[in-house]
């Protein structure tokens, strides 16, 4: 009969019988052989720990002969010093109380002085009257597990050390950035006036908005008296950033201050700056140039108006916000970059500020701010014109405040520093309005 219970014979039935015979032979191990050759250690001890029986597997791990162990050693004698202490203080008391204990990690000593990590489980065998007779113990080789645990521990310590080193590097980097930002802010302040002087009949305000505390910008501005009731002002932007741009900014400020004291014509002062930059930087491997607007204010206490004459070299046009609520650009077409050509041309414009009128000068960080959800569009001159018309009429200080709020709203869309200078004639002129800088 085949395995399916059918009466007919099937091919290979003889081969199947041979296989079954071999399988049956494998299962004919005696209980004693299974005990001696088990893949784990077995031993039985009296209640005082004396070893009464031990299998060949555990003897092989220990490297000891049976006659040197049975009746001569106790279970605790097989353990290391630390293991013996744990056995006496924890293992044995718990076993007496609970009757069994499982999976305890210990170390046993081998004949050659080595240590073998093991997992030990013990159970107390009781007699028919419930009295404890002996202790049966199973011992598993935990070498692979110990090696795995040690590797995990090593990896964990490595990860913790790496994390600690990274945290320390991050902390130092943050401290370095803070110190750098503080140093750059202090240096930036040396390149800009802390306050504007009082201009009779004119309200003044200025602001410098930093796009990055870790980059030294090249924007600059100033306002100072030039005698005979006149006041000079300028604003500009140097190409590039960093210490080199700061050095150019310093040169520009002092050159323009000196030039204006020798001429009342703004275009002539810009021409002097153009020569200075061209001679200083064009021949070098690091050419430098800038944009700038330079002008002269002449307040008239009698009429309450202020005449403005300005020249521009490649700079965004100034905006005039009128008391009527209108806003207009003072276009200066043809004004060239300063420092590129020896014979650069600079465009000149004039205007008059009456009560309620305000003149705004700015650098291109404002109009080139990135807007939109994807930061893919520039704010632009048209948006600035519309914003100015919404503010008009307004005074210099209020206008700069409003623009600072606009700049803050750009967030990470502001890639470049922005300088702002506003000059306005108040409606109520009985007492001069002192110019105050809005430090940022």
């Amino acid at each position: 009969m085949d395995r399916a219970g059918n009466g007919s014979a099937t091919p290979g039935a003889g081969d199947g019988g041979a296989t079954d015979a071999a399988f049956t032979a494998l299962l004919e191990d005696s209980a004693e052989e299974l005990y001696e050759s088990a893949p784990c250690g077995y031993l039985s001890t009296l209640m005082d720990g004396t070893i009464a029986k031990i299998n060949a597997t555990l003897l092989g791990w220990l490297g000891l002969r049976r006659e040197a162990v049975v009746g001569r050693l106790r279970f605790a004698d097989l353990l290391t010093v630390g293991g013996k202490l744990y056995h006496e203080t924890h293992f044995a008391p718990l076993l007496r109380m609970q009757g069994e204990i499982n999976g305890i990690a210990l170390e046993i000593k081998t004949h050659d002085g080595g240590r073998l990590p093991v997992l030990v489980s013990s159970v107390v065998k009781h007699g028919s009257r419930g009295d404890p007779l002996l202790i049966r113990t199973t011992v598993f080789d935990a070498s692979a597990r110990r090696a795995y645990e040690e590797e995990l521990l090593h990896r964990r310590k490595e990860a913790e050390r790496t994390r600690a080193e990274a945290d320390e590097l991050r902390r130092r980097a943050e401290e370095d950035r803070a110190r750098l930002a503080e140093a750059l802010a202090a240096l930036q302040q040396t390149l800009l006036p802390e306050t504007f002087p009082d201009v009779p009949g004119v309200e003044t305000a200025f602001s410098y908005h930093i796009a990055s505390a870790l980059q030294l910008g090249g924007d600059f501005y100033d306002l100072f008296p030039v005698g005979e009731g006149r006041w000079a002002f300028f604003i500009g932007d140097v190409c590039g950033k960093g210490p080199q741009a700061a050095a150019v900014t310093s040169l520009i400020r002092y050159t323009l201050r000196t030039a204006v004291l020798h001429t009342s014509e703004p275009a002539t002062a810009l021409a002097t700056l153009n020569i200075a930059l061209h001679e200083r930087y064009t021949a070098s491997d690091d050419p430098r140039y800038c944009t700038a607007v330079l002008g002269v204010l002449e307040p008239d206490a009698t009429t309450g108006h202020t005449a403005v004459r300005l020249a521009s070299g490649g700079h965004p046009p100034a905006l005039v916000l009128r008391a009527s609520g209108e806003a207009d650009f003072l276009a200066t077409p043809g004004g060239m970059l300063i420092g590129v050509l020896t014979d650069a041309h600079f465009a000149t414009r004039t205007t008059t500020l009456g009560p309620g009128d305000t003149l705004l000068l700015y650098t291109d960080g404002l109009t080139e701010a990135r807007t939109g959800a994807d930061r893919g569009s520039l704010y632009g001159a048209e948006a600035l014109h519309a914003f100015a018309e919404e503010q008009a009429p307004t005074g210099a200080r209020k206008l700069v405040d409003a623009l600072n709020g606009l700049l803050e709203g750009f967030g990470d869309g502001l890639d470049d520093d922005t300088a702002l200078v506003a000059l306005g004639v108040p409606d109520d002129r009985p007492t001069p309005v002192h110019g105050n800088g809005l430090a940022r």
Side-chain angles (χ1 to χ4, degrees):
M1 182 177 291
D2 63 14
R3 292 174 184 251
N6 298 318
S8 60
T10 58
D15 293 341
T19 301
D20 288 346
F23 184 73
T24 301
L26 290 174
L27 297 180
E28 289 180 349
D29 289 342
S30 66
E32 184 65 21
E33 186 176 358
L34 288 174
Y35 177 84
E36 291 293 337
S37 303
C40 60
Y42 287 126
L43 74 158
S44 299
T45 69
L46 302 180
M47 293 308 298
D48 64 357
T50 301
I51 298 174
K53 189 176 182 180
I54 186 170
N55 73 342
T57 300
L58 184 52
L59 286 171
W61 292 349
L62 295 169
L64 297 174
R65 299 176 63 85
R66 192 182 305 272
E67 56 268 22
V69 176
V70 176
R72 294 179 177 272
L73 298 179
R74 297 186 180 188
F75 174 64
D77 296 330
L78 306 180
L79 304 176
T80 61
V81 174
K84 185 179 296 185
L85 179 62
Y86 183 85
H87 180 271
E88 293 175 355
T89 58
H90 292 77
F91 190 98
L94 285 174
L95 181 60
R96 284 194 297 269
M97 287 190 297
Q98 299 174 177
E100 64 177 318
I101 191 168
N102 297 301
I104 302 301
L106 296 172
E107 286 185 329
I108 59 176
K109 299 178 296 184
T110 60
H111 181 66
D112 58 3
R115 295 184 175 193
L116 179 67
V118 294
L119 290 177
V120 177
S121 295
S122 295
V123 61
V124 177
K125 180 182 178 181
H126 294 85
S128 58
R129 297 179 180 179
D131 50 325
L133 299 179
L134 56 85
I135 300 171
R136 289 172 175 168
T137 298
T138 306
V139 181
F140 290 93
D141 183 350
S143 300
R145 173 173 173 170
R146 173 68 62 83
Y148 176 70
E149 290 175 345
E150 289 178 349
E151 179 64 17
L152 284 180
L153 182 60
H154 174 71
R155 297 291 183 183
R156 179 178 179 180
K157 289 181 178 178
E158 288 253 336
E160 290 175 350
R161 182 167 57 252
T162 300
R163 184 162 51 249
E165 290 174 354
D167 290 341
E168 177 64 15
L169 289 175
R170 190 180 302 110
R171 183 188 65 79
R172 291 181 181 179
E174 291 173 353
E175 290 179 351
D176 290 343
R177 281 195 294 268
R179 284 194 292 267
L180 177 59
E182 185 178 352
L184 291 178
L187 179 57
Q188 190 81 65
Q189 290 300 319
T190 66
L191 301 174
L192 300 169
E194 293 184 4
T195 60
F196 275 175
D198 296 338
V199 180
V202 177
E203 179 189 21
T204 65
F206 64 89
S207 175
Y208 193 94
H209 191 100
I210 299 173
S212 171
L214 300 180
Q215 283 189 317
L216 195 62
D219 295 11
F220 57 90
Y221 52 82
D222 208 346
L223 173 67
F224 52 94
V226 292
E228 300 179 356
R230 293 180 297 114
W231 303 78
F233 63 89
F234 59 77
I235 188 171
D237 188 3
V238 174
C239 69
K241 294 181 179 296
Q244 296 83 359
V248 179
T249 298
S250 180
L251 172 64
I252 290 171
R253 284 193 64 205
Y254 289 111
T255 301
L256 287 179
R257 273 181 164 265
T258 303
V260 174
L261 293 176
H262 289 84
T263 176
S264 60
E265 179 55 49
T268 304
L270 290 184
T272 301
L273 174 62
N274 182 75
I275 294 172
L277 289 182
H278 191 271
E279 291 180 350
R280 173 65 178 83
Y281 291 102
T282 302
S284 69
D285 295 332
D286 186 24
R288 294 284 172 170
Y289 57 88
C290 73
T291 67
V293 170
L294 185 145
V296 176
L297 298 174
E298 294 188 54
D300 188 331
T302 304
T303 63
H305 290 69
T306 296
V308 182
R309 182 175 178 81
L310 57 82
S312 175
H315 199 79
L319 257 173
V320 180
L321 285 68
R322 299 296 182 183
S324 61
E326 299 175 349
D328 297 300
F329 284 111
L330 285 179
T332 49
M336 297 181 178
L337 291 174
I338 303 171
V340 177
L341 303 174
T342 55
D343 56 348
H345 170 74
F346 303 109
T348 301
R349 285 294 302 268
T350 59
T351 190
T352 300
L353 300 179
D357 294 343
T358 300
L359 176 70
L360 172 67
L361 302 113
Y362 54 93
T363 55
D364 60 8
L366 172 57
T367 52
E368 293 181 0
R370 293 178 289 109
T371 61
D374 59 351
R375 302 299 190 190
S377 303
L378 298 182
Y379 183 65
E382 291 185 4
L384 176 59
H385 182 269
F387 181 84
E389 284 195 325
E390 291 176 359
Q391 306 302 315
T394 186
R397 193 175 299 112
K398 288 184 178 180
L399 177 59
V400 170
D401 282 342
L403 288 168
N404 281 333
L406 177 66
L407 290 169
E408 291 289 348
F410 291 139
D412 60 1
L414 199 63
D415 293 329
D416 198 4
D417 292 1
T418 301
L420 302 171
V421 172
L423 310 168
V425 178
D427 281 331
D428 48 346
R429 293 187 302 108
T431 56
V433 177
H434 299 292
N436 292 318
L438 302 177
R440 295 199 40 93

